[in-house]
Amino acid sequence: KDPATVVKRNGTQLTGLTRGYYEFQSKTADLVEADQPIQVAQILPSQNSCGFVGSTDPDYTLLSPVEQAIKQTRFYRGKVDHIEYNFLSLTIPTAGISSLKIDGVLNNFTHTYPHPNYPGYSVVVRQWFVRSNTDPRPPAQVTVESDSAFNAITYGHNTYVAVGNDG
C-alpha cells in the first residue's frame, strides 16, 4: 500500500517494486518481514511456465503471518480432477513438532527440516498418494493439531485437470 514500506526477504531488503508488489522465485522456505503491514502471496506456477519444469496446475495462496498462527485446523483431502497427491506444508516452532498430530497420530509426516531462514522453526511436510483412478480410499477430512501455533497450506498435485471440450 505504501511504496516506502521496507520489505525484507531473509534479511535482505527487496528492491524493484513493480505495480505495488515485489516478486521473487524460491525453492526454499523464506522469511518475509516488513516495517508496515503487507500481504504475502505464494504462487505455484502452472506446468512448464515461469521457469518451472514439472507437472502441476497453478495455485495461489495468501499466507498468514506467524502472529496469526493456529494450534488446530481441519482440511478436506480430495481426489477429484486426477489429483495424484495431497500435501500439507506447515511452519512450526521446532519444539512443537513433538506434540504435532496429523489425524491424531504423532510423527505422522513425510519429512521435516529446520527452517533455513527462521531459527527455532521447522518446516513439516505430509504427503498422501491418492491417485484418483486407482485409490479405493474415499476422500477424507484431516485434523492437524499441536500445543504450539503453526501456519500451514494444503494443496493437491496432479498432472492435469480434466476440462470440457471448450477448454
Side-chain angles (χ1 to χ4, degrees), residues 5 58 62 64-65 68 72-73 75 78 86 88 94 98 104 115-117 132-133 149 151 162:
T5 302
L62 297 176
S64 298
Q68 295 178 2
Q72 181 183 42
T73 190
F75 68 92
N86 290 143
L88 164 69
T94 302
S98 63
H115 194 294
N117 297 295
S132 59
N133 296 340
N151 288 52

Side-chain angles (χ1 to χ4, degrees), residues 7 25-26 32 39 43 48 51 55 57 60 106 141 146 151:
V7 181
Q25 293 185 17
S26 179
V32 178
Q39 178 67 65
I43 300 170
N48 302 317
S55 57
D57 284 318
Y60 179 94
L106 289 169
Q141 181 166 310
S146 175
N151 288 52

